[in-house]
Amino acid sequence: MANTIKNYINGQYENPINSNWLDNYDPSNGEIYGKTPNSSKEDVEQAYLSAQSAFEQWSQTTLEERSRILLKISEGIESQLDALAEAESKDNGKPISLAKSIDIPRAASNFRFFANAITQFASESHESVGQNAINFTLRQPIGVVGCISPWNLPLYLFTWKIAPAIAAGNCVVAKPSEVTPMTAYMLGEICNKAGLPKGVLNIVHGLGTTTGQAIIEHPNIKAISFTGGTATGAHIARTAAPMFKKLSLELGGKNPNIIFADCDYDAMLRNTIHSSFANQGQICLCGSRIFVEKSIYEKFKNDFVEKVKQLKVGHPAKADTDIGALVSKPHLEKVLDYINIAKQENGTILCGGNRITVNGHENGYYLEPTVIEVPNEHCRVNQEEIFGPVVTIMPFGTEDEVLQMANKVKYGLSATLWTNDLNRTMRMSNQIQAGIVWINTWLMRDLRTPFGGVKASGVGREGGFEALRFFTEPKNVCIKFK
Ligand code: NAD
C-alpha cells in the first residue's frame, strides 16, 4: 500500500513486530488512504533499547556538534516544506495554506531555536562567602525520555518536544498521534540525512492505549513530555507517579477572550475571527469563550456573525479555504453533540451549527463555524473544552464580573484581553488564572517564553530554557577550598 507508515527505530524504518495495523483516514473525504502500525510493548522495547544504546555517546557529543545536527534537521524540514505541508493537510484536514505558513515553518524553527538555545544554556553557581566554598550546578541529560503529542498541530508539537530533548543530550522514544502520523514518519528520513546518530530519536506509532501506555509504563523511560487532553494527562500522572518519573503535561483549555469597549475595534474583530476559528478551532489556545463589554455587545455580535458567515469552508488543499475538515469522524460527532447540548441549555445558535458537504467530498468531516450566544457562564458549552469551530459569546458589565467569569472554569491555559487601558491590563494580568495572557494580540509566540497552563491545563512549562531545564537533572556540586 502506498501510504504505509512504519516505525523509525535505530535509524531504520521497521514494520510493527506483531503486524498489527491501524487505518489512516483522510478527513477531507472520509476515506482510508494508508495504514499505521499499532505498535506493541515489544516495539516500544526495541525503541527503548536503541535509545539507551545511543545515549552514552550522544550525551557526550559536544554542544557545537549537537547544534550543527539540529540546524541540519531544521534545514531538512525547510527543504521539504511543500511535501510536508501537503502531507500535514491531508492527514489532519487543515488548510494547506496554514500548514505551509505555520505548521511546517514552526517545526523547522523548533529545531533551529533549540540548536541555538543549547549553546547559551548555563547553570548557576553560588559562592558560599566566608566558608571557602563554591557550589555549582551540573545540568545533566536524563537518559531516555518519552515524548507524546496530539493531532491538532502534528509536526509542530512533536518537534517542540523532541528538539529540546535531544539538544539537551537525551535520547528519545516518541509517539505522534495515531490520527495524524504522516509527518512524524517523514521526519525520520530527514534526521538520517542530517546525520543524527542512530538511536538518538526513535518514533513508534500506535494507539495511546497500547503504544502510548507502553511508553508511560516503561520503568526506564525516566521523563514524559506529554501534550494532549486533560483526562489523558491525569491518567499519565497516575501511572507515572509511583515510578517517580519527571512529567511535563500540556493539557486542554477553555480560554477567555475578553473585549472591552475601549479597544482598537477593527484589530480586535480581525484577530477574534482568527483566535476563534484558526485550524477549525482545534488549537488549545483558541479563545473559545468570548466576553464583550455591554456597551458594544450588540454591535460586536452583528459584526462578528457577519464576518464568520463569510469564512469559506472547503477542501483543505484549495488555496482559498479558510476552514478545512475536522480531524476525524468521532471528533466531528463530539463537536456536533456539544451544539445539541447548547440548544438544550437554551443557547442561541447565531450562525453555523451544521455539518456541511463539500462538492465531490461528501463524506468529509466539515462543519460550519458556529457562534453560540449563551444565557450564562455556567452552561456546559461555556465550561467544557469543545475543541472545534465553536465559540460562545455573552456580555459583561464590570471588570470584576468578567474576571470572575473568566476564572470560573477548571482550565487555565491562556487568556486574551482587548483594551487600551494600561492600568487595567496590569490589574487583570495579575489576577487572571492562566499560564499565558495576550493583550491586544493572540498567539504571538516568542520561543524563549515559558509556555503552559495552570489548573487542569497542565503541569510544567515548555519553551526556552524551561524546556532545557525539564530535560536535564540539576546536580549540585560543592567544593571546599583552603
Ligand atoms: P489525547 O489526550 O487523546 O491524545 C494525545 C496523545 O496521547 C496521542 O498521541 C494519544 O495517542 C496519546 N495517548 C492517549 N492515551 C494514552 C495513554 N493511556 N498513554 C499514553 N499516551 C496516550 O489528545 P488529542 O485528542 O490527541 O488532542 C487534543 C487535546 O490536546 C485537547 O484537549 C487540546 O487542548 C490538547 N492540546 C493541548 C496543548 C497545550 O499546549 N496545552 C496543545 C495542543 C493540544
Side-chain angles (χ1 to χ4, degrees):
M1 193 172 204
N3 291 298
T4 300
I5 283 166
K6 295 186 176 196
N7 290 330
Y8 172 73
I9 297 176
N10 205 28
Q12 316 257 7
Y13 282 112
E14 307 277 1
N15 286 328
I17 292 168
N18 60 6
S19 302
N20 201 342
W21 299 87
L22 303 167
D23 291 329
N24 195 16
Y25 286 82
D26 176 344
S28 76
N29 57 22
E31 285 168 16
I32 295 167
Y33 83 103
K35 57 181 187 172
T36 307
N38 188 16
S39 305
S40 62
K41 250 187 165 151
E42 289 72 32
D43 299 292
V44 170
E45 186 59 19
Q46 290 305 310
Y48 165 74
L49 291 173
S50 148
Q52 203 236 351
S53 66
F55 178 66
E56 196 177 324
Q57 202 173 352
W58 181 247
S59 59
Q60 291 306 313
T61 304
T62 62
L63 297 185
E64 193 185 357
E65 177 66 359
R66 277 188 227 159
S67 174
R68 194 184 64 78
I69 293 172
L70 263 72
L71 285 173
K72 282 200 137 189
I73 299 174
S74 169
E75 285 160 15
I77 292 173
E78 274 167 348
S79 73
Q80 289 208 40
L81 172 69
D82 289 345
L84 286 165
E86 216 171 278
E88 201 74 297
S89 167
K90 190 176 174 75
D91 224 15
N92 174 279
K94 67 177 68 209
I96 181 93
S97 55
L98 193 68
K100 218 178 232 185
S101 62
I102 305 284
D103 289 79
I104 308 306
R106 173 60 192 273
S109 297
N110 289 340
F111 278 103
R112 193 177 321 110
F113 176 82
F114 284 107
N116 293 321
I118 195 62
T119 67
Q120 304 300 313
F121 188 43
S123 59
E124 320 82 72
S125 86
H126 305 273
E127 187 184 353
S128 302
V129 178
Q131 294 179 293
N132 282 356
I134 185 146
N135 285 273
F136 60 89
T137 307
L138 292 175
R139 291 224 162 240
Q140 298 179 309
I142 296 169
V144 178
V145 300
C147 297
I148 301 177
S149 59
W151 49 256
N152 65 325
L153 302 167
L155 193 64
Y156 174 136
L157 290 176
F158 194 58
T159 54
W160 182 231
K161 299 179 178 305
I162 291 168
I166 65 177
N170 301 284
C171 293
V172 174
V173 176
K175 191 192 91 63
S177 169
E178 63 278 18
V179 186
T180 53
M182 187 53 93
T183 49
Y185 166 63
M186 294 164 78
L187 181 66
E189 203 175 329
I190 293 171
C191 289
N192 282 351
K193 281 195 181 141
L196 186 71
K198 288 179 180 172
V200 174
L201 171 64
N202 303 275
I203 302 172
V204 279
H205 296 269
L207 293 172
T209 45
T210 49
T211 320
Q213 186 69 24
I215 295 174
I216 63 170
E217 288 179 346
H218 197 291
N220 297 321
I221 296 181
K222 299 286 187 201
I224 304 287
S225 174
F226 168 80
T227 299
T230 294
T232 316
H235 170 77
I236 292 175
R238 278 194 298 272
T239 309
M243 289 179 269
F244 307 108
K245 289 180 196 251
K246 218 174 167 185
L247 284 185
S248 168
L249 303 172
E250 300 292 338
L251 312 176
K254 188 74 181 176
N255 313 301
N257 178 6
I258 302 171
I259 298 167
F260 286 92
D262 71 348
C263 70
D264 175 344
Y265 188 84
D266 292 343
M268 175 279 294
L269 194 59
R270 218 175 29 251
N271 276 275
T272 295
I273 291 289
H274 196 52
S275 65
S276 303
F277 299 113
N279 204 38
Q280 297 69 248
Q282 300 167 146
I283 303 180
C284 52
L285 304 160
C286 277
S288 52
R289 289 183 295 149
I290 304 177
F291 297 102
V292 188
E293 194 166 3
K294 264 183 195 144
S295 59
I296 60 163
Y297 183 71
E298 287 303 321
K299 175 174 168 51
F300 172 81
K301 187 164 108 178
N302 292 333
D303 293 348
F304 184 59
V305 167
E306 195 189 309
K307 271 198 177 296
V308 175
K309 284 182 177 163
Q310 288 165 15
L311 291 171
K312 192 164 182 321
V313 181
H315 191 277
K318 289 189 101 181
D320 63 346
T321 291
D322 296 311
I323 298 198
L326 270 66
V327 74
S328 67
K329 192 156 180 247
H331 189 58
L332 171 71
E333 283 163 359
K334 176 191 148 185
V335 177
L336 282 166
D337 279 350
Y338 270 109
I339 293 171
N340 278 329
I341 290 169
K343 291 175 189 160
Q344 288 155 19
E345 291 179 322
N346 296 324
T348 308
I349 312 292
L350 298 175
C351 65
N354 302 302
R355 182 176 182 175
I356 49 174
T357 50
V358 166
N359 263 347
H361 310 284
E362 280 70 20
N363 293 322
Y365 314 134
Y366 300 96
L367 182 67
E368 290 172 323
T370 303
V371 181
I372 305 168
E373 187 175 45
V374 286
N376 60 61
E377 82 272 20
H378 311 295
C379 55
R380 282 183 64 190
V381 288
N382 217 41
Q383 291 287 321
E384 297 173 21
E385 185 183 46
I386 300 175
F387 215 56
V390 178
V391 288
T392 62
I393 69 169
M394 62 175 288
F396 68 86
T398 65
E399 193 180 305
D400 280 349
E401 185 196 358
V402 75
L403 194 60
Q404 285 215 12
M405 293 196 295
N407 286 342
K408 228 176 187 172
V409 288
K410 69 174 183 174
Y411 297 105
L413 189 53
S414 71
T416 302
L417 303 181
W418 289 95
T419 176
N420 278 319
D421 181 336
L422 180 64
N423 292 318
R424 173 150 60 206
T425 63
M426 283 313 300
R427 278 194 304 270
M428 292 200 61
S429 303
N430 272 332
Q431 293 181 69
I432 213 144
Q433 294 165 359
I436 304 154
V437 183
W438 280 297
I439 315 280
N440 298 331
T441 184
W442 176 73
L443 226 178
M444 193 167 183
R445 294 281 294 119
D446 180 323
L447 302 190
R448 292 170 300 181
T449 58
F451 178 92
V454 297
K455 305 198 299 192
S457 291
V459 178
R461 293 293 182 275
E462 297 188 317
F465 292 150
E466 296 287 342
L468 295 176
R469 285 188 198 106
F470 174 75
F471 283 117
T472 51
E473 279 291 357
K475 182 187 284 174
N476 171 234
V477 181
C478 176
I479 304 177
K480 174 95 173 94
F481 56 90
K482 289 186 179 163

